[in-house]
Amino acid sequence: MQAIYGGTFDPIHYGHLNSVTALAEQVSLHQIIIMPNNVPPHRPQPEATSEQRRKMVELAIANNPLFTLDCRELKRATPSWTVDTLEEVRAEKGNQQPLAFIIGQDSLLSLPHWHRWESLLSLCHLLVCQRPGYPLTMETPERQQWLETHRTSSVASLHQQPAGCIFIAPTPLYDISATLIRQRLAAGQPCDDLVPAPVLNFIHQQHLYR
Ligand code: ATP
């Protein structure tokens, strides 16, 4: 099964990479497609340019056959909704193959604010990585009900059905965020245990996050 991993990746870090590597093992994913997003103008802009974010992902996944990079959202002049991108991917792959979208626990909680969020499960499964510091239940009883309705603990279901399940994976907790990394770099603190070395070298070379 293939899974798409969307995010800003400003920068990509071990919280991303280690969580989804553990997830891949737990649910037998054979490919994770990293898809950096184009940030809408009304949101806080990434500090790194699209090109720099792309390059950092490339450096982080070099020689790792589990990962590929899809720049379709970055290349567009305008930001795209996840649901629209998934519809496009579905049109390419057809409706039969299982497809998953990976999010962290924080994104699961905010999912009901995403554009056409209730359509997401008709297009893909949602695979959720644990993240420390976020509640395990949704904000309202209705949303919790939605979660319970779709939630599965069966890995087999993820492979047998093309879409429609939410799997909360028992991934290890990584207390790492891109915000923390940007703050540490701005304060001149080391980030060797948070970001892969080639990415960190690139960050220094480009004078990023100072
Ligand atoms: P920022 O601090 O700038 O908001 P971030 O570290 O949350 O960034 P994003 O690129 O916004 O990183 O995240 C992409 C996806 O990765 C999201 O679904 C997010 O929930 C997930 N994610 C990020 N960090 C972790 C982590 N430490 N553990 C599990 N999931 C994570």
Side-chain angles (χ1 to χ4, degrees):
M1 178 168 54
Q2 284 185 328
I4 297 174
Y5 192 31
T8 309
F9 305 114
D10 183 29
I12 191 163
H13 53 69
Y14 282 133
H16 299 125
L17 295 162
N18 293 354
S19 299
V20 298
T21 301
L23 173 73
E25 182 77 20
Q26 289 166 356
V27 306
S28 303
L29 290 177
H30 70 266
Q31 193 181 45
I32 294 174
I33 303 164
I34 299 191
M35 197 182 279
N37 57 24
N38 191 330
V39 180
H42 59 275
R43 299 259 183 85
Q45 289 300 297
E47 284 193 33
T49 63
S50 296
E51 183 58 24
Q52 286 169 327
R53 290 187 292 128
R54 180 190 64 76
K55 183 72 190 166
M56 290 189 282
V57 173
E58 264 177 16
L59 289 167
I61 66 175
N63 306 318
N64 187 335
L66 177 61
F67 294 104
T68 58
L69 172 62
D70 186 326
C71 288
R72 71 178 76 208
E73 292 197 347
L74 271 191
K75 280 188 203 137
R76 289 198 192 111
T78 52
S80 24
W81 304 112
T82 300
V83 68
D84 293 338
T85 304
L86 286 168
E87 276 176 349
E88 192 181 296
V89 173
R90 263 295 170 213
E92 290 164 17
K93 292 191 189 302
N95 289 329
Q96 301 306 315
Q97 270 185 53
L99 177 68
F101 190 75
I102 303 173
I103 53 178
Q105 176 68 18
D106 56 312
S107 303
L108 175 66
L109 297 171
S110 62
L111 201 79
H113 302 287
W114 292 20
H115 181 61
R116 289 172 55 210
W117 68 285
E118 279 164 304
S119 301
L120 289 168
L121 284 175
S122 64
L123 297 162
C124 64
H125 298 302
L126 289 174
L127 306 179
V128 183
C129 293
Q130 316 266 348
R131 197 169 182 184
Y134 292 93
L136 295 175
T137 48
M138 304 295 286
E139 276 169 6
T140 64
E142 292 76 25
R143 289 170 190 174
Q144 186 61 24
Q145 184 58 50
W146 167 82
L147 171 61
E148 298 304 336
T149 303
H150 297 284
R151 187 169 175 178
T152 184
S153 53
S154 156
V155 170
S157 303
L158 299 172
H159 291 271
Q160 283 155 7
Q161 299 171 34
C165 302
I166 303 174
F167 183 88
I168 302 186
T171 50
L173 295 175
Y174 298 100
D175 197 4
I176 306 176
S177 67
T179 305
L180 171 75
I181 291 161
R182 294 192 301 271
Q183 284 169 351
R184 288 185 62 88
L185 290 167
Q189 293 166 340
C191 286
D192 306 65
D193 50 346
L194 308 177
V195 180
V199 177
L200 202 52
N201 290 340
F202 179 80
I203 289 172
H204 292 316
Q205 240 174 50
Q206 300 278 309
H207 310 293
L208 262 170
Y209 310 124
R210 287 202 165 170

